[in-house]
């Protein structure tokens, strides 16, 4: 069965420091992986996705994510955090056997302190 | 929010009453989805539509029904609301039939409270 785990409920980082939000997954086929961000009282916004090809995926707002097949991980990263990056981040996974079904992680709240 | 509106944005209702939430898109996308968001669960798919009058169940469909009579509108109905259906509901759309890889775009959400 498909599953996604975001092991940290909350991540705290100082502005200007690098940030990492962790995600691990389990699927039966090749994974298609997504990161979304949710600001207060807003819907989810797409950040980036991995379908195939380069393991390092670059997305919106300076975020990137690294696909690691051996560790079944897709961690979200940013070299220098901004206070405005504070939000709720969701990892999501699909595979071809799942069809329309997207499995979302429980979310990780990121706090960036000035 | 990608040309997606949801109405109402907030609703308080009583147990046992019917409730209908509306999702409207201006993107002419074929695929539409309803999710609910609950703490500790992320988002879970309730129902989805792959065309006008074409709908199917997601993983948490019990107690919900949907209808899609026009490309732009996707309605979610709680036939008899229960307190367990208190949640934030999100509509999403996607464009292509590459369902595994296509990006979904989300509306602003409806916060529903069932007393």
């Amino acid at each position: 069965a498909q599953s996604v785990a975001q092991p940290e409920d909350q991540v705290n980082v100082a502005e200007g420091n690098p940030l990492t939000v962790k995600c691990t997954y389990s699927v039966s086929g090749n994974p298609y992986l997504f990161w979304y961000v949710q600001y207060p009282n807003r819907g989810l916004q797409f950040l980036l996705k991995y379908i195939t090809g380069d393991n390092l995926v670059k997305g919106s707002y300076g975020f990137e994510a690294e696909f690691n097949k051996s560790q079944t991980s897709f961690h979200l990263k940013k070299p220098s955090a901004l206070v405005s990056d504070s939000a709720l981040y969701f990892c999501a996974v699909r595979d071809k056997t799942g069809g329309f079904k997207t499995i979302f992680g429980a979310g990780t709240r990121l706090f960036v302190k000035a | 929010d990608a040309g997606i509106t949801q109405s109402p944005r907030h609703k308080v209702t009583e147990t046992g009453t019917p409730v209908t939430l509306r999702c409207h898109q201006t993107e002419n996308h074929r695929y539409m989805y309803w999710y609910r968001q609950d703490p500790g669960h992320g988002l879970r798919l309730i129902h989805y539509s792959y065309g006008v009058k074409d709908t199917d169940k997601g993983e948490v469909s019990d107690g919900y029904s949907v209808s899609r009579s026009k490309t732009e509108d996707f309605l979610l109905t709680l036939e008899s609301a229960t307190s367990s259906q208190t949640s934030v509901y999100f509509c999403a759309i996607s464009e292509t039939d590459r369902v595994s890889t296509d990006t979904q775009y989300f509306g602003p959400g409806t916060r529903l409270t069932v007393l």
Side-chain angles (χ1 to χ4, degrees):
Chain A
Q2 299 166 291
S3 66
V4 174
Q6 293 182 242
E8 301 155 318
D9 292 336
Q10 183 171 312
V11 170
N12 298 308
V13 64
E15 188 173 34
N17 283 0
L19 70 87
T20 298
V21 183
K22 296 179 180 178
C23 172
T24 59
Y25 65 89
S26 174
V27 297
S28 55
N30 289 326
Y32 306 114
L33 296 152
F34 302 78
W35 275 103
Y36 287 86
V37 60
Q38 185 180 31
Y39 298 102
N41 300 312
R42 300 287 300 275
L44 277 69
Q45 295 179 29
F46 170 73
L47 279 178
L48 51 81
K49 66 182 178 183
Y50 171 82
I51 304 303
T52 188
D54 288 342
N55 290 341
L56 186 63
V57 179
K58 294 189 183 296
S60 306
Y61 313 121
F63 284 93
E64 58 188 27
E66 185 170 10
F67 171 63
N68 187 317
K69 188 173 183 178
S70 63
Q71 296 186 4
T72 61
S73 67
F74 189 55
H75 300 332
L76 182 70
K77 301 181 180 183
K78 187 174 182 181
S80 179
L82 300 172
V83 172
S84 57
D85 292 330
S86 298
L88 187 58
Y89 291 81
F90 290 97
C91 182
V93 66
R94 294 186 214 150
D95 69 5
K96 284 188 177 180
T97 62
F100 288 94
K101 189 175 181 181
T102 303
I103 301 300
F104 285 84
T108 298
R109 189 163 297 280
L110 174 66
F111 285 103
V112 182
K113 187 175 181 181
Chain B
D1 291 318
I4 309 168
T5 56
Q6 293 185 232
S7 59
R9 294 292 314 278
H10 302 271
K11 186 171 182 65
V12 179
T13 190
E14 295 186 350
T15 298
T17 59
V19 176
T20 295
L21 309 182
R22 180 181 183 238
C23 177
H24 179 78
Q25 59 145 330
T26 58
E27 307 295 326
N28 201 35
H29 284 3
R30 177 179 174 185
Y31 300 89
M32 300 185 75
Y33 313 80
W34 276 108
Y35 289 90
R36 59 178 290 172
Q37 182 182 23
D38 303 291
H41 289 278
L43 275 74
R44 293 178 291 175
L45 182 65
I46 304 171
H47 282 279
Y48 61 92
S49 170
Y50 46 96
V52 174
K53 298 190 187 304
D54 292 324
T55 66
D56 207 345
K57 297 179 180 180
E59 61 180 312
V60 290
S61 59
D62 287 349
Y64 302 95
S65 63
V66 290
S67 65
R68 191 168 178 200
S69 58
K70 297 184 288 183
T71 298
E72 57 266 35
D73 289 325
F74 192 32
L75 303 181
L76 176 71
T77 297
L78 291 65
E79 303 290 347
S80 177
T82 69
S83 58
S84 64
Q85 294 175 312
T86 293
S87 186
V88 181
Y89 292 85
F90 287 99
C91 175
I93 64 174
S94 62
E95 183 176 13
T96 75
D97 58 1
R98 298 188 296 274
V99 291
S100 293
T101 60
D102 198 20
T103 299
Q104 294 182 356
Y105 297 95
F106 287 81
T110 294
R111 184 173 297 275
L112 176 67
T113 302
V114 183
L115 302 176

